[in-house]
Amino acid sequence: MKYGEICVMTTTLASEAVAEILSDVTGEAVSITDKNDLLSGSWDYADTGLLEGYPSEAAVKGFFSPEKEKSVTEAVEARLSELKKYVANCGSLKISVSYGDDGEWLENWRKSFRPVDFGKIVVCPVWLECLSEKPVLLLNSGIAFGTGTHETTAMCLKLLQKVDLTGKTFIDVGCGSGILGLAALLMGAERAVLVDSDVQAVDAAKENAALNGLEDKCVFVAGNLCDDVEARGVVAANLTADILACLAPELSRVTLPAGCAVVSGILRDRLEKTLELFEKNGFGIKETLTEGEWSAALLVAPEDAR
């Protein structure tokens, strides 16, 4: 079976933002090839010939069914034009399309992942072996959901480690693969509510919960984010600035009074305005993080949150 591959050339700083666009448009996983990853010190050594084989810009690739080429290309072009309004240096943003065999691509995609140490836990794709004394979260996310390497997810995990989760309910709004909710359980939470409007995401979260023996501690909700959640607890919402803006008035209803909430998926140039909306709804800003073009924040809900 054939698959379509759309490739966008961009800068290192903009690569994650472009990856988010390709993921949103195609509904599939993406890959990033960037020689700066080799130069940054994240590899023990880099062969000169290997570096010479890398493109001068970061290559971000997404995948789609061949019959969707026109709609995918047009949607990506429109989103990239919007991105340039918020990100100063996006590089060439040159788009190319090619085709290949899906079995070969899946194997190459899996090779791009490795276990990631986030401090208190290690996140590891199920097809890899991980030897660690820390709690290991195994993920079998398939091609449509990530395994924790995206900056927005990584920042959520970093901020959550600054929150006392012991014995608390954790609510993962827009759960995707379930990584944040399941990680919270490994870090001491008593129960996790995993909610997503995408039924496929909820199914992936269920699979990953069972893989880690955590299904008995989870509640799965296929619904409209906060609208279908009755519990209150520590909250994480790794979404987009636009969706978070809509959720700002509602998020306090599911967050414990004076409790913590982590929001992520915000382009750095939109962080200030996004946080202003949460402040207007009574949230305090405890800490912010920015990696690449993305930002996240640790919020504190109002004491009289209802």
Side-chain angles (χ1 to χ4, degrees):
M1 182 176 177
K2 296 292 184 181
Y3 70 91
E5 176 186 286
I6 182 167
C7 178
V8 179
M9 306 303 296
T10 186
T11 61
T12 297
L13 281 177
S15 61
E16 291 287 355
V18 173
E20 186 80 0
I21 289 172
L22 294 190
S23 178
D24 284 347
V25 171
T26 64
E28 304 290 357
V30 299
S31 68
I32 301 175
T33 302
D34 187 355
K35 70 178 180 181
N36 285 321
D37 289 339
L38 299 181
L39 299 173
S40 66
S42 59
W43 291 62
D44 292 333
Y45 65 90
D47 182 85
T48 302
L50 179 62
L51 285 173
E52 291 176 350
Y54 270 59
S56 58
E57 291 186 294
V60 185
K61 298 178 181 180
F63 307 92
F64 59 89
S65 299
E67 66 272 12
K68 295 182 179 179
E69 177 182 345
K70 186 174 185 294
S71 62
V72 166
T73 302
E74 290 177 350
V76 169
E77 288 174 345
R79 292 284 297 274
L80 291 177
S81 295
E82 187 71 14
L83 178 67
K84 287 191 287 187
K85 297 178 183 178
Y86 300 103
V87 180
N89 183 13
C90 295
S92 68
L93 293 182
K94 179 181 177 181
I95 297 175
S96 60
V97 174
S98 60
Y99 292 91
D101 177 75
D102 60 357
E104 177 184 354
W105 165 69
L106 182 58
E107 182 62 26
N108 289 334
W109 175 76
R110 285 188 166 187
K111 288 179 181 177
S112 69
F113 290 100
R114 65 189 187 282
V116 183
D117 190 329
F118 286 102
K120 291 185 178 180
I121 66 168
V122 176
V123 177
C124 181
V126 69
W127 55 85
L128 296 178
E129 182 180 7
C130 179
L131 301 176
S132 175
E133 295 181 357
K134 299 178 182 179
V136 176
L137 176 60
L138 296 174
L139 291 182
N140 185 21
S141 300
I143 59 176
F145 303 101
T147 53
T149 57
H150 195 282
E151 290 166 341
T152 59
T153 307
M155 286 188 290
C156 282
L157 289 170
K158 291 175 183 177
L159 290 173
L160 285 174
Q161 293 182 59
K162 301 184 178 186
V163 179
D164 182 9
L165 296 169
T166 306
K168 293 185 173 67
T169 293
F170 182 84
I171 302 171
D172 187 353
V173 182
C175 66
S177 66
I179 179 174
L180 297 180
L182 300 178
L185 291 173
L186 293 182
M187 291 190 290
E190 181 66 27
R191 182 173 71 128
V193 179
L194 305 169
V195 55
D196 203 296
S197 57
D198 185 344
V199 175
Q200 285 185 304
V202 175
D203 288 342
K206 288 180 180 178
E207 179 182 351
N208 286 319
L211 184 63
N212 290 276
L214 296 171
E215 63 269 40
D216 291 342
K217 292 187 175 183
C218 295
V219 176
F220 303 96
V221 180
N224 187 19
L225 301 178
C226 289
D227 290 349
D228 296 303
V229 177
E230 297 181 1
R232 301 190 76 163
V234 176
V235 177
N238 182 16
L239 300 164
T240 66
D242 291 335
I243 297 177
L244 289 171
C246 295
L247 286 179
E250 181 72 6
L251 207 62
S252 62
R253 184 183 67 78
V254 295
T255 307
L256 290 168
C260 291
V262 173
V263 294
S264 188
I266 309 165
L267 282 170
R268 61 190 302 169
D269 291 343
R270 302 185 67 178
L271 178 63
E272 184 177 349
K273 289 186 177 180
T274 302
L275 294 184
E276 285 176 359
L277 291 173
F278 282 96
E279 288 178 310
K280 288 179 180 178
N281 285 277
F283 282 89
I285 313 302
K286 190 170 183 179
E287 184 177 343
T288 63
L289 284 179
T290 294
E291 295 185 7
E293 292 298 328
W294 297 100
S295 293
L298 176 59
L299 312 177
V300 179
E303 292 186 6
D304 59 349
R306 297 182 178 179

